[in-house]
Amino acid sequence: MSLPADENTSSIGSFTSIGDGVLAEIIKVDGVDPVDVDGNIPLPQLHKGTIGRVPRWAEYSVDPDNPDRLQVFFEQDGVKNTIHDNLYNPINLLEIEIPLSAALLSKDGVAWISYLVNDADSNPDIAPPRKLTIDHTQLPVQKLPEANFLNATLWGYWNCLTRPALSGGGWIHILPQLIGRSGDLCVVTWRGYLSLNGVGEVEGAYGSFSKSLSTEDNSQGFNMLIPFKHIKPLENNASAIVIYRFYRAAKLIAESEPALIKIDRVISGESLPCYYEA
């Protein structure tokens, strides 16, 4: 859908935003450091494809007869293509996954990805474009061992008996390694699920946490805290998956295997889980 130009219109790449009316959140792309303005896509994601994630917009329709329309655009070398065009109502997802295939990402250079939401009255909700840098000549990303969940049971659970208590958050441990350097950035991603095997993502149980690494962090390993607010939505027969990544100058250099923790906060005979009011 084209938008009328006026004095309040500006563009980034060839994507247009209207004055201060940019309401939608910028799209996220798996594997890309959120603070990397160049949007460097790691080599593994270039080889196998990746996922763009459109966060659920704030004013989404709840009227089945008036769905919202989501369009996603991919532009490279001045050519803009629509790669997703669907109607949504109601939206029962926290985010909408947009596959970005290896074929789509096959050409080196700069690309832009953005999306447009039109509500039932055709009022545009425009997301700022996300710059992506595609480079198939980069060095391969190194594999790191999975994170350890401190104080888990022998069966791999965090529960009401975990100490320190989960109301203060849950601790994970990153093992020593030889890849990192002082000043590298470690980004930990936590995703919670409604099952014991990492299926069925839970609202409010997503978090991303970063730490600038020291020489001692790399040589001795270090701990990171998952705040309880990201654990709280996980009560019974739930789980979470942690992946951590090392970035150097905003480029991904290493990525861990996924690690899974099972979560059980049910108290026998009680209607509410432990730490319900934490």
Side-chain angles (χ1 to χ4, degrees), residues 2-165:
S2 60
L3 300 172
D6 59 32
E7 66 274 12
N8 295 319
T9 303
S10 62
S11 63
I12 308 175
S14 62
F15 287 100
T16 305
S17 61
I18 302 179
D20 295 325
V22 177
L23 303 177
E25 295 181 39
I26 194 167
I27 193 170
K28 296 175 285 186
V29 178
D30 284 3
V32 175
D33 184 350
V35 301
D36 176 13
V37 295
D38 290 322
N40 290 283
I41 303 177
L43 198 58
Q45 278 73 23
L46 292 178
H47 286 166
K48 65 184 180 183
T50 188
I51 300 292
R53 298 181 183 272
V54 175
R56 183 173 62 189
W57 42 97
E59 302 298 329
Y60 59 90
S61 175
V62 295
D63 181 355
D65 296 323
N66 292 285
D68 295 329
R69 181 185 182 188
L70 170 65
Q71 295 170 282
V72 182
F73 310 105
F74 185 89
E75 180 173 340
Q76 191 173 22
D77 295 337
V79 178
K80 182 167 70 173
N81 293 306
T82 302
I83 61 173
H84 183 90
D85 190 346
N86 268 332
L87 300 177
Y88 290 91
N89 192 357
I91 301 176
N92 56 4
L93 303 169
L94 295 179
E95 55 190 16
I96 296 171
E97 296 185 1
I98 310 297
L100 305 177
S101 68
L104 182 69
L105 305 173
S106 62
K107 186 175 182 180
D108 285 353
V110 171
W112 299 88
I113 186 169
S114 190
Y115 65 94
L116 173 68
V117 176
N118 280 306
D119 65 19
D121 299 319
S122 296
N123 296 314
D125 191 2
I126 305 168
R130 180 56 160 120
K131 182 180 179 181
L132 298 175
T133 299
I134 302 169
D135 178 14
H136 288 82
T137 68
Q138 60 187 290
L139 295 175
V141 174
Q142 300 296 310
K143 276 298 179 183
L144 296 170
E146 63 184 55
N148 291 333
F149 295 94
L150 299 181
N151 311 306
T153 70
L154 291 175
W155 296 272
Y157 279 87
W158 278 346
N159 58 29
C160 298
L161 298 178
T162 300
R163 293 294 181 270

Side-chain angles (χ1 to χ4, degrees), residues 184-203:
D184 287 349
L185 186 71
C186 176
V187 178
V188 172
T189 300
W190 163 278
R191 291 185 184 274
Y193 298 91
L194 286 171
S195 67
L196 292 174
N197 59 355
V199 175
E201 192 167 341
V202 180
E203 184 171 2

